[in-house]
Amino acid sequence: MKALIALAAFSLGAPSVGAQPCGGPFDAFLDGIRDEAIGNGHSEQVVDRFLEHAAHDPNVIRADRAQGIFQIPFIEFSGRLISQHRLHHGSENARKWAHVFDHIEREHGVSRGVLLAFWGFETDFGVVQGDFNTVNSLVTLAHDCRRPELFRPQVLAAVELFERGGLDPVNTTGAWAGEIGMVQMLPEDILLNGVDGDGDGKVDLKGSPADALVSGARMLVNLGWRRNQPWMQEVRMPERFDWFETGFENWKPASDWVAAGVRPRSGRLAAPDLEAAILLPQGRNGPAFMIYPNFNVFLEWNKSFVYVITAAHFAMRLEGAPVYDAGEPGTALDEGQVKALQERLEARGHDVGGIDGILGAKTRSAVQKEQVRLGLPADAWPTLELLDRL
């Protein structure tokens, strides 16, 4: 099989007229997928073979609805994910695959710690890749009306991947959300970024660490990774500070933050001339991080704030950084309290991204604005006092 690399001309095309976007009888939905795939240029025989055994999987829906781990605050979340087991195996894999990481850093400018972090978090370095049938996962999530705009194109990309010999509709398995391989890539990403990293003439993201890592690096570059630039470092904040300056919405040269009293916790400022922002995942009394533009690429890989900042810190740890200073942040609101907070923020006209009990970027931004209005320290960390005053 030829390597699937940088298919710039690849296009899913527009949905066919009358195509059912989601919901309704599952067989009718599959008929709509069939018509759209044929309309995109695939033969009836190819599409019929791809869909022959496709089935709705209720376990996928249960997994999609059971993501409570993202409601855990950063300190607890990172403590669970960054285990000694993962740190040890990260170091072992860094040594074992040093030649691959050397190639990636030379050719793509992506630091090994970043790829090791995703490899470790996504599949425990390839050990746990998931046993959900990939086609069933994708068609189930495309049929479900929660995020069809994400998963319907992935079904159509999977048809393309199948026709190119890169997916077996019956035997290919992976995560419940349809990702495949050691760094968990969706079919569209495999088509655009899949690389034969070990030179054996095929792209094997499940069995070849070289293929998976080089493909992951190419994906990060195509998502906007800036060559050989930092992504995050821990900092110490001055006692007197305008906390409303922190957060995703306020970027300025890193040297300006230093002029305002921000200092690296250890070592030197990573990139004084780069634009940077300050994140306080658990408020002004908890850990503090300076983020650089490459941090935004982490958010393209995964939209969860707590996952991304944990992955970014794990990547730093794998490259020798110390454990962050946890400080003494206030008590976190529980799921019900965060939902109540989101309801009250929405009632005041803020977009919090849905009532889900997760303190994501939109909820944090709304919290900051309300903290300013109420004369509270605007550090984006919601407290019971804020909840009560709202």
Side-chain angles (χ1 to χ4, degrees):
M1 181 181 68
K2 293 182 179 180
L4 304 171
I5 55 174
L7 301 175
F10 173 71
S11 172
L12 295 175
S16 59
V17 176
Q20 182 183 348
C22 67
F26 190 68
D27 288 344
F29 170 78
L30 291 182
D31 287 342
I33 291 288
R34 180 181 186 275
D35 292 342
E36 189 171 348
I38 292 171
N40 286 343
H42 299 287
S43 70
E44 293 184 9
Q45 293 79 9
V46 165
V47 179
D48 287 344
R49 290 204 312 274
F50 176 83
L51 293 173
E52 182 178 3
H53 300 287
H56 186 275
D57 186 349
N59 291 323
V60 169
I61 300 299
R62 281 192 282 272
D64 182 56
R65 303 299 193 264
Q67 299 187 67
I69 189 171
F70 296 115
Q71 297 165 343
I72 299 171
F74 166 70
I75 293 174
E76 182 182 351
F77 184 90
S78 60
R80 292 190 188 187
L81 266 66
I82 304 176
S83 63
Q84 285 302 314
H85 170 87
R86 282 188 170 139
L87 287 165
H88 171 73
H89 284 277
S91 297
E92 289 292 311
N93 279 294
R95 285 192 289 271
K96 182 176 181 179
W97 300 101
H99 64 290
V100 176
F101 291 117
D102 289 343
H103 166 79
I104 288 170
E105 290 177 348
R106 184 173 59 252
E107 296 297 320
H108 301 289
V110 179
S111 178
R112 64 192 64 201
V114 173
L115 289 164
L116 283 163
F118 283 123
W119 191 13
F121 279 2
E122 297 290 346
T123 64
D124 268 331
F125 304 103
V127 175
V128 184
Q129 297 188 33
D131 56 5
F132 286 84
N133 177 275
T134 297
V135 171
N136 291 348
S137 291
L138 292 173
V139 296
T140 297
L141 291 167
H143 176 261
D144 182 52
C145 287
R146 192 167 86 85
R147 292 180 292 172
E149 73 286 349
L150 170 61
F151 288 103
R152 188 181 186 99
Q154 296 299 337
V155 175
L156 299 169
V159 177
E160 178 79 14
L161 192 59
F162 164 60
E163 187 166 37
R164 293 172 181 267
L167 182 148
D168 180 336
V170 175
N171 296 312
T172 297
T173 58
W176 62 264
E179 301 102 334
I180 301 167
M182 294 191 182
V183 294
Q184 299 285 270
M185 293 170 65
L186 286 164
E188 195 171 33
D189 297 322
I190 297 172
L191 286 169
L192 294 171
N193 303 294
V195 179
D196 173 15
D198 58 15
D200 66 353
K202 61 181 180 180
V203 177
D204 179 11
L205 302 185
K206 291 175 68 70
S208 169
D211 290 8
L213 293 167
V214 178
S215 298
R218 191 183 190 101
M219 179 173 163
L220 288 169
V221 169
N222 286 332
L223 289 173
W225 187 267
R226 299 186 182 187
R227 184 182 184 87
N228 298 326
Q229 288 189 10
W231 57 96
M232 187 173 85
Q233 69 180 128
E234 188 178 3
V235 294
R236 293 197 182 279
M237 304 299 294
E239 289 186 12
R240 294 180 178 274
F241 197 79
D242 180 1
W243 301 108
F244 189 64
E245 292 285 296
T246 64
F248 285 108
E249 298 175 0
N250 193 13
W251 292 75
K252 62 181 71 175
S255 57
D256 286 5
W257 292 112
V258 172
V262 178
R263 295 288 183 269
R265 182 185 171 202
S266 60
R268 300 178 179 179
L269 196 64
D273 297 329
L274 286 184
E275 292 287 297
I278 303 295
L279 292 187
L280 308 174
Q282 290 193 219
R284 67 194 187 282
N285 297 317
F289 299 99
M290 182 178 290
I291 60 169
Y292 298 96
N294 274 341
F295 183 87
N296 294 321
V297 179
F298 281 72
L299 286 167
E300 292 296 325
W301 187 294
N302 190 298
K303 299 299 183 184
S304 166
F305 171 84
V306 69
Y307 177 96
V308 163
I309 198 166
T310 299
H313 178 64
F314 186 36
M316 292 165 52
R317 294 284 307 280
L318 289 165
E319 295 195 356
V323 181
Y324 58 77
D325 180 359
E328 297 182 356
T331 303
L333 301 183
D334 63 28
E335 177 186 354
Q337 290 168 331
V338 174
K339 286 182 176 179
L341 171 74
Q342 291 172 323
E343 289 170 354
R344 295 174 196 183
L345 291 169
E346 273 200 349
R348 296 197 62 84
H350 297 287
D351 176 12
V352 298
I355 311 300
D356 57 8
I358 297 173
L359 188 61
K362 289 184 177 181
T363 300
R364 295 173 66 89
S365 177
V367 164
Q368 267 192 307
K369 292 180 175 67
E370 288 300 308
Q371 287 172 326
V372 169
R373 184 180 69 84
L374 295 169
L376 300 170
D379 61 1
W381 181 244
T383 61
L384 280 174
E385 179 185 5
L386 174 66
L387 182 61
D388 290 341
R389 291 182 65 177
L390 286 174

